[in-house]
C-alpha cells in the first residue's frame, strides 16, 4: 500500500524555447514510475503537450500539470510554454509555484528567454534549480557554460553533478558525494558566498559536515540566494535521478495556513467547443469539496472588481486517482467543474490586499493573491473578421471563449463587425487562427498587427453640459466632468464629487459606464489611461430625463474636458541586450541609433570563451523586429539579441504614430 505524501511541492519547468523542457518533464514522470512509456515531442505523444496544435508544432502552448512521487513527497510539475509569445501562461504559473527548474541547453547555453526568466525568478526569490540539458550533444559545454551561468544568470551557482564524456553519446552525470571530504570542501567554498555560517567554518579551517552542508544548501536555495546546477540529458536520462533528489530535498513546501475559509487562484481554464469548462485551481488555505458553494472574485478592465457565485459539481485533485473526489487541501492543485463563468485569474474566497511580488515566491509562497505583473502587457493589436460573414457570430463566441482562457487577449468589438485582440507576438496570432479553424470550425482573417499606443492627460480639464432654465433643447441631462492625471499604472478611475443620491442609480450608472467606454477610444482614437474622471455636476428633470440622455451628454462632455486637459501619445518600449563580436560594435551602434534605440551600458565580456561586447539599452517596440533583422548581417551571424517589454515613453514626432508597423518598424498601432 502506497504511503500518503508528507507534503506537496508545485514546481514549474521553465526554459527558453527548444531547451528540452517538455522532454525533461516526460523523463521525470517516466523515471519516477508515473507513466509506463516514455513519450517524445517529435512523436507528439508526451503527457503534457496534449493539444492537437502542440503535437503538430512540437511546442508547448498552454501550461499543463502532471504529478509524480519522490519518496514521501508529491511533486506536481507545471510544464510551461517556452516561446515568448505565450509568456502570459508562464506568469500565471509562477503565481502558484513553490519552486522552479530552469532548463538550459549545454550547447546553446544562456539564451534570451533564459535571462528573462531567471531575472524574474530571482526577483521573486523563488527556489530555483538549474538543469543543463543535452550533455550528450556535440558541442556541449561544461565549465565554460558554468562560468556563463555565474556571470549572466546566477552569481552563486553550485554544481551538484560531475560529468564524464561531455559532448559524446557516452556522456554520463553522477551526483557529487557529499561524504567525500574533497568534494564537500569544494562545494562549501561556493556555498560560503551566500552562507555566513559556512564561510565562518571555512575561515576557522574546517569544512562543514555532510549534514551541515545539505542544510546550508537547502536554506540558501529556499531563500533564492544560491542555485544548485545539475547536468544531464532528458532524452538519455542522465542526471535526472540527482535532479529529482534535489527537487524533493532542497525546495521547501509553502507554509500552510489553517482555520480559514478556502482561498486560491485559478491559473488555467480549458473550454473545449461544446464541452464542459474546467479550471485548474491552486489552494492556499482551507478545503474544497464537491457540491460546495464558492465565491470567485475578478478584477475588471477598468480596475474595479466583480464577484461570481457558483457550486462545484466535480473536483479532481492532481496526483490522486480519478474519481477520488477530494477534498482539495491547502498547497494542492485540483481541476474544478460546474462553474460555467469561471475565468483564468479569478480568486477564490475573500481576496487579500495586493502584496506584490516582492516576497519569497510572491503570490503562492507568501499566501498573497495579488496580480504579479511580472511581464509587460501585450504590445500588439490585431482586428479579426470571419472569412465567411455568416460565421461572424460564431467567431465572436469563439474569441470570447478564448479570452476567458487568456484574459490578456481582451476581445472587444471593433468597427465594421471586427473584433480587436491584444497579442504578444505573431506566433500567438498563428496559433489563435489555427485554434479557431480546428476547434471551432471558423476561418478567420487577421489584419496586420499594430503596436498598441495610448494617451495620458497632460493636465487638468473641465467641461459641463447643463439643462437650460428656459427653452431647453437637446438631451435632458446635466453633467459636469473634470479630468486629471493619475499615477502611472493606475488605469482609468471614475469618482464623484456630487452626492450619490443626487441622481437615480440608473443615471449614475449610465454616466460612469459611458465615461469609461469613452476613455477606451479617446480624442485621437486611442485608449486614455492613468487618469481620474470626476463627476462635478449633475441634474435631471423627471420624468423627461432618461438614461440615454446621460450617455449622449457624458461622451461629449468628457471629450471636451480631455481636449482642455491635453493628451500625449505614449508607445511601448523594449529593454534590449545585444552580444556582439568585438569588430561589430560601431556598425551595430550606428544602426540601432538610426532605429531610435537609446544605448545604455556597454561592457566587454567573455561568452563561451570568446571576447565580445555586451550592449544594453531601450528601443521602441515598433522597431524591435528591424533591430533583430539587422543584427545577423552586421555581426556575420554571431550576434545575439535579447529584448523584453519595458514600460513606455512619449512618441517622438506625433505625426508618425498612425503608420502601420512593418519590417522596418514604421509606426505604431491603435488603442485597445
Amino acid at each position: 500500500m502506497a504511503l500518503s505524501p508528507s507534503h506537496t511541492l508545485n514546481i514549474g519547468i521553465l526554459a527558453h524555447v527548444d531547451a528540452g523542457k517538455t522532454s525533461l518533464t516526460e523523463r521525470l514522470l517516466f523515471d519516477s514510475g508515473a507513466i509506463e512509456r516514455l513519450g517524445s515531442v517529435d512523436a507528439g505523444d508526451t503527457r503534457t503537450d496534449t493539444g492537437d496544435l502542440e503535437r503538430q508544432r512540437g511546442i508547448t502552448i498552454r501550461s499543463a500539470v502532471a504529478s509524480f512521487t519522490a519518496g514521501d513527497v508529491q511533486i506536481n510539475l507545471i510544464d510551461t510554454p517556452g516561446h515568448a509569445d505565450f509568456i502570459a501562461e508562464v506568469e500565471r504559473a509562477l503565481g502558484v509555484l513553490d519552486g522552479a527548474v530552469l532548463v538550459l541547453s549545454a550547447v546553446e547555453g544562456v539564451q534570451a528567454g533564459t535571462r528573462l526568466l531567471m531575472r524574474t525568478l530571482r526577483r521573486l526569490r523563488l527556489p530555483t534549480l538549474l538543469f543543463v540539458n543535452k550533455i550528450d550533444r556535440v558541442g556541449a559545454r561544461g565549465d565554460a557554460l558554468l562560468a556563463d551561468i555565474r556571470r549572466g544568470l546566477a552569481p552563486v551557482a553550485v554544481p551538484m553533478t560531475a560529468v564524464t564524456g561531455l559532448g559524446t553519446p557516452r556522456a554520463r552525470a553522477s551526483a557529487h558525494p557529499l561524504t567525500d571530504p574533497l568534494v564537500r570542501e569544494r562545494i562549501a567554498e561556493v556555498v560560503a558566498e551566500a552562507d555566513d555560517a559556512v564561510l565562518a567554518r571555512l575561515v576557522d579551517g574546517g569544512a562543514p559536515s555532510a549534514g551541515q552542508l545539505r542544510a546550508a544548501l537547502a536554506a540558501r536555495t529556499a531563500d533564492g540566494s544560491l542555485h544548485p546546477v545539475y547536468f544531464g540529458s532528458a532524452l538519455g536520462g542522465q542526471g535526472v535521478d540527482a535532479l529529482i533528489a534535489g527537487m524533493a530535498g532542497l525546495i521547501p513546501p509553502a507554509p500552510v495556513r489553517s482555520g480559514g475559509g478556502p482561498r486560491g487562484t485559478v491559473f488555467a481554464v480549458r473550454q473545449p467547443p461544446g464541452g464542459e469548462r474546467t479550471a485548474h485551481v491552486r489552494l492556499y488555505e482551507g478545503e474544497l469539496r464537491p457540491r460546495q458553494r464558492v465565491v470567485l472574485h475578478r478584477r475588471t478592465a477598468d480596475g474595479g472588481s466583480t464577484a461570481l457565485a457558483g457550486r462545484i459539481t466535480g473536483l479532481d485533485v492532481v496526483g490522486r486517482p480519478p474519481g477520488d473526489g477530494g477534498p482539495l487541501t491547502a498547497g494542492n492543485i485540483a481541476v474544478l467543474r460546474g462553474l460555467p463563468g469561471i475565468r483564468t485569474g479569478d480568486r477564490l474566497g475573500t481576496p487579500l490586499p495586493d502584496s506584490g511580488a516582492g516576497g519569497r515566491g510572491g503570490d503562492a509562497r507568501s499566501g498573497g493573491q495579488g496580480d504579479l505583473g511580472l511581464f509587460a502587457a501585450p504590445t500588439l493589436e490585431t482586428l479579426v473578421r470571419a472569412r465567411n460573414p455568416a460565421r461572424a457570430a460564431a467567431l465572436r463566441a469563439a474569441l470570447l471563449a478564448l479570452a476567458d482562457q487568456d484574459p490578456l487577449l481582451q476581445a472587444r468589438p471593433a468597427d465594421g463587425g471586427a473584433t480587436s485582440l491584444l497579442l504578444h507576438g505573431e506566433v500567438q496570432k498563428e496559433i489563435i487562427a489555427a485554434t479557431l479553424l480546428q476547434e471551432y470550425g471558423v476561418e478567420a482573417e487577421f489584419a496586420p498587427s499594430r503596436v498598441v499606443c495610448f494617451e495620458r492627460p497632460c493636465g487638468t480639464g473641465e467641461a459641463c453640459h447643463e439643462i437650460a432654465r428656459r427653452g431647453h433643447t437637446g438631451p435632458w441631462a446635466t453633467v459636469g466632468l473634470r479630468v486629471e492625471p493619475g499615477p502611472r499604472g493606475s488605469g482609468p478611475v471614475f469618482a464623484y464629487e456630487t452626492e450619490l443620491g443626487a441622481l437615480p442609480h440608473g443615471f449614475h450608472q449610465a454616466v460612469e459606464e459611458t465615461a469609461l467606454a469613452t476613455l477606451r477610444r479617446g480624442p485621437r482614437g486611442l485608449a486614455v489611461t492613468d487618469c481620474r474622471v470626476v463627476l462635478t455636476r449633475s441634474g435631471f428633470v423627471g420624468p423627461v430625463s432618461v438614461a440615454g440622455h446621460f450617455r449622449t451628454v457624458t461622451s461629449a462632455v468628457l471629450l471636451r474636458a480631455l481636449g482642455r486637459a491635453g493628451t500625449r501619445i505614449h508607445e511601448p518600449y523594449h529593454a534590449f541586450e545585444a552580444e556582439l563580436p568585438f569588430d561589430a560594435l560601431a556598425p551595430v551602434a550606428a544602426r540601432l541609433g538610426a532605429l531610435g534605440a537609446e544605448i545604455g551600458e556597454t561592457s566587454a565580456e567573455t561568452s563561451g570563451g570568446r571576447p565580445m561586447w555586451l550592449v544594453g539599452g531601450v528601443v521602441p517596440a515598433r522597431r524591435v523586429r528591424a533591430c533583430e533583422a539587422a543584427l545577423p548581417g552586421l555581426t556575420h551571424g554571431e550576434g545575439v539579441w535579447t529584448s523584453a517589454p519595458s514600460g513606455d515613453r512619449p512618441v517622438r514626432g506625433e505625426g508618425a504614430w498612425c503608420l502601420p508597423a512593418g519590417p522596418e518598424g514604421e509606426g505604431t498601432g491603435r488603442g485597445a
Side-chain angles (χ1 to χ4, degrees):
M1 181 178 177
L3 296 175
S4 298
S6 62
H7 63 270
T8 299
L9 295 174
N10 299 295
I11 297 179
I13 309 295
L14 291 79
H16 183 93
V17 64
D18 290 334
K21 166 183 51 60
T22 299
S23 296
L24 176 61
T25 302
E26 193 75 4
R27 172 60 69 174
L28 290 168
L29 296 173
F30 178 73
D31 283 7
S32 62
I35 57 176
E36 297 181 354
R37 189 178 67 83
L38 185 66
S40 75
V41 174
D42 291 340
D45 58 355
T46 61
R47 175 71 175 270
T48 53
D49 282 351
T50 56
D52 291 340
L53 288 172
E54 291 177 313
R55 290 175 170 174
Q56 291 168 14
R57 291 174 175 254
I59 61 172
T60 301
I61 298 171
R62 296 173 176 171
S63 297
V65 183
S67 179
F68 71 91
T69 302
D72 64 344
V73 179
Q74 176 178 313
I75 297 178
N76 294 334
L77 295 176
I78 295 91
D79 184 19
T80 63
H83 198 286
D85 281 14
F86 308 106
I87 197 69
E89 286 280 330
V90 179
E91 175 163 351
R92 287 189 282 268
L94 286 172
V96 301
L97 298 182
D98 300 316
V101 174
L102 182 60
V103 185
L104 297 83
S105 165
V107 179
E108 286 80 13
V110 178
Q111 298 173 278
T114 320
R115 286 181 175 155
L116 175 62
L117 291 168
M118 192 65 194
R119 280 197 295 266
T120 304
L121 292 167
R122 292 187 64 191
R123 171 184 162 191
L124 290 173
R125 301 183 71 83
L126 193 68
T128 302
L129 313 182
L130 305 183
F131 184 76
V132 179
N133 192 24
K134 305 180 183 181
I135 62 170
D136 49 1
R137 283 257 308 272
V138 174
R141 296 182 295 134
D143 291 342
L145 177 54
L146 189 61
D148 289 348
I149 290 172
R150 286 171 172 160
R151 181 170 48 252
L153 289 184
V156 188
V158 184
M160 302 297 291
T161 51
V163 181
T164 59
L166 183 66
T168 72
R170 300 183 302 278
R172 296 292 182 268
S174 58
H176 283 309
L178 296 186
T179 53
D180 185 327
L182 293 178
V183 170
R184 195 162 64 245
E185 183 175 358
R186 190 166 62 249
I187 292 178
E189 290 174 352
V190 182
V191 175
E193 298 179 35
D195 191 291
D196 291 341
V198 173
L199 176 61
R201 283 188 170 275
L202 291 176
V203 170
D204 291 341
S209 67
Q212 291 169 334
L213 188 55
R214 287 192 190 94
L217 280 165
R220 302 290 76 79
T221 300
D223 65 21
S225 57
L226 68 74
H227 298 86
V229 181
Y230 298 84
F231 285 79
S233 170
L235 292 180
Q238 291 81 27
V240 174
D241 287 346
L243 176 63
I244 292 175
M247 294 165 70
L250 298 179
I251 297 178
V256 175
R257 299 182 181 184
S258 58
R263 191 166 52 83
T265 292
V266 179
F267 66 95
V269 168
R270 302 290 179 260
Q271 174 74 70
E276 183 180 24
R277 180 173 299 194
T278 60
H280 281 79
V281 175
R282 158 76 191 257
L283 199 65
Y284 306 126
E285 184 178 351
E287 291 187 353
L288 283 181
R289 298 176 182 273
R291 296 177 295 282
Q292 183 172 341
R293 189 170 180 80
V294 296
V295 177
L296 300 166
H297 297 269
R298 178 181 307 161
R299 190 171 299 281
T300 57
D302 57 15
S305 61
T306 185
L308 170 72
R311 190 179 301 278
I312 300 169
T313 60
L315 182 153
D316 294 320
V317 180
V318 172
R320 296 187 193 167
D324 177 86
L328 171 64
T329 55
N332 286 283
I333 293 172
V335 179
L336 304 186
R337 296 185 299 277
L339 301 170
I342 196 167
R343 292 182 59 183
T344 300
D346 285 351
R347 313 297 187 186
L348 178 67
T350 303
L352 295 181
D354 189 353
S355 61
R360 196 179 103 189
D363 211 49
R365 299 190 62 80
S366 66
Q369 297 185 73
D371 296 321
L372 292 179
L374 302 174
F375 304 105
T379 58
L380 297 177
E381 182 195 24
T382 186
L383 298 179
V384 191
R385 291 181 173 84
R387 188 177 296 273
N388 178 0
R391 299 286 289 161
L395 172 64
R396 175 71 178 163
L399 291 173
L400 290 175
L402 293 178
D404 280 349
Q405 299 173 50
D406 182 1
L408 290 182
L409 290 175
Q410 293 190 26
R412 293 174 178 170
D415 295 339
T419 299
S420 165
L421 291 183
L422 299 187
L423 305 171
H424 279 99
E426 295 302 312
V427 173
Q428 185 183 17
K429 182 196 289 187
E430 295 174 10
I431 294 298
I432 292 174
T435 300
L436 291 171
L437 182 60
Q438 294 187 16
E439 296 188 10
Y440 295 90
V442 179
E443 191 172 2
E445 294 179 338
F446 289 76
S449 300
R450 292 175 172 268
V451 174
V452 176
C453 287
F454 50 88
E455 301 176 59
R456 286 192 177 99
C458 299
T460 299
E462 293 192 57
C464 183
H465 175 277
E466 293 199 67
I467 301 173
R469 292 180 178 271
R470 296 180 180 178
H472 179 77
T473 58
W476 289 83
T478 291
V479 175
L481 296 173
R482 182 176 70 248
V483 178
E484 53 196 31
R488 281 289 184 110
S490 63
V493 176
F494 190 86
Y496 296 88
E497 282 186 358
T498 60
E499 293 185 13
L500 284 177
L503 287 179
H505 174 72
F507 295 172
H508 270 299
Q509 186 175 5
V511 172
E512 182 171 351
E513 289 178 353
T514 303
L516 294 173
T518 302
L519 291 175
R520 288 198 285 269
R521 188 173 291 273
R524 301 184 235 197
L526 304 175
V528 181
T529 189
D530 296 344
C531 64
R532 191 167 180 262
V533 178
V534 183
L535 180 64
T536 58
R537 286 182 63 81
S538 64
F540 72 104
V541 176
V544 181
S545 299
V546 295
H549 293 163
F550 283 88
R551 293 191 180 95
T552 301
V553 167
T554 298
S555 180
V557 169
L558 180 53
L559 288 174
R560 290 206 308 272
L562 284 168
R564 292 169 181 171
T567 60
R568 189 165 187 180
I569 299 173
H570 291 69
E571 65 175 322
Y573 267 63
H574 276 223
F576 71 85
E577 285 184 354
E579 294 181 9
L580 311 173
F582 254 51
D583 61 351
L585 179 60
V588 171
R591 181 60 177 152
L592 291 179
L595 290 170
E598 298 177 16
I599 296 177
E601 185 177 352
T602 301
S603 60
E605 302 281 350
T606 301
S607 179
R610 298 178 302 158
M612 54 88 178
W613 289 105
L614 185 62
V615 179
V618 294
V619 64
R622 57 192 165 94
R623 305 285 194 176
V624 168
R625 286 199 298 170
C627 294
E628 292 175 332
L631 200 64
L634 296 172
T635 62
H636 312 293
E638 298 180 16
V640 178
W641 174 271
T642 307
S643 73
S646 178
D648 60 81
R649 296 191 179 190
V651 172
R652 300 175 185 172
E654 293 191 357
W657 70 269
C658 58
L659 298 176
E664 292 300 315
E666 273 31 1
T668 73
R670 297 186 59 81

